[in-house]
Amino acid sequence: MAAATLGLRRGNDPCGPVAQFLEQAGVGLAGWVHTACLNRCRQRRRHRRQLADWANLLDHAALAQSSPGYAASRRRDVRRGQPALSPVEWVESEAAGSQLLHLQLGFPLNLYAPAEFVTLYWYCDYLLLARRGRWGSAPEEAVADVDRAACQAMVVLCQGVAAAAGACMRRPPSPFNTAEDVFEQRFGCMRSVARPEALTLGHYRASQAAVEAGAVSAAALLLGAATRFGALVGAAAGLLAGTAVDLAPAQERHLAGLRRIATQNGLAAQLLMKGTAGEAAPTLVPTWDFSVAREHSTCMFFPILGLKRAE
């Protein structure tokens, strides 16, 4: 399976670097299958531990790719008519997938506070970008692009909610943990593998400098979120109604759930934006509901923003 995915032949040397890499790649794929059979808590832990395995496999991939027999083992991917991924690119993509699932599985396990949502969706967006062009089929690529747009919309929405009703999105005081410590606790394991490059708190602060400095108003952020969710609804509806890609039933349910979540989040963003238009304090308290995501898909972790009147 690994040889077919990578477009490689084992070659004449059963002990050569290419053959050794393919053998280790098979072990990595078997680990994926084993992980999928576990409950979500153990899946999350397993994906984190597998990063060390992907780091080891990355060394095998680099050695195989630089070996003299690599060119002779290379073949064209007949299915797509394009060269298959190189070993290093494939390992990077699979490692990003493990990192992505490790982060996403924390949502249904209620491991994250709402104050962490911005950094989490920001990092998920980066990991989806790292896998762009490497999913292997047009439907998977199309769904991944929609998921990435959803991550970007969630980042803006969470920023807008934090600016409009900061109390519910503010991290509780932690006198013994700095911001660097908190970031390290969530994303420190990403450094276990060299590719994709692990992001730091400095990267996050640089990307959010304007928002952190207060240069963007809450109304502008919420309007941007509503606009992004509106575009997301159109993208999901277009894939569901079009014939450009042949979607599997699970992908159709995934997109249908994402369209429902995006529709409600867009309306909630507009409603909260109207509540912040005046000088009076907002009377709406935001809540986050993941039940719709769990109902439609096992690999979607986007909540619906609910608004309750403050008592």
Side-chain angles (χ1 to χ4, degrees), residues 1-8 22 29 74-75 77 79-80 82-86 90 94 134-136:
M1 178 179 176
T5 302
L6 293 168
L8 290 175
L22 290 176
L29 292 175
R74 190 78 162 160
R75 64 177 177 81
D77 187 348
R79 181 182 57 184
R80 289 183 290 171
Q82 299 176 354
L85 295 177
S86 70
W90 180 78
E94 296 302 314
R134 303 176 183 181
W135 289 90

Side-chain angles (χ1 to χ4, degrees), residues 5 29 32 47 54 80 85 89-101 104 124-137 140-141 144-145 148 196:
T5 302
L29 292 175
W32 268 100
H47 280 300
W54 291 120
R80 289 183 290 171
L85 295 177
E89 290 174 336
W90 180 78
V91 174
E92 179 182 4
S93 176
E94 296 302 314
S98 285
Q99 293 173 333
L100 183 64
L101 284 173
Q104 289 179 329
C124 288
D125 174 40
Y126 166 71
L127 294 174
L128 285 167
L129 177 62
R131 299 200 74 184
R132 182 176 174 81
R134 303 176 183 181
W135 289 90
S137 67
E140 290 176 320
E141 288 286 351
D145 286 342
R148 186 171 176 233

Side-chain angles (χ1 to χ4, degrees), residues 156-170:
V156 181
L157 177 64
C158 292
Q159 290 171 336
V161 172
C168 67
M169 296 288 287
R170 190 175 298 120

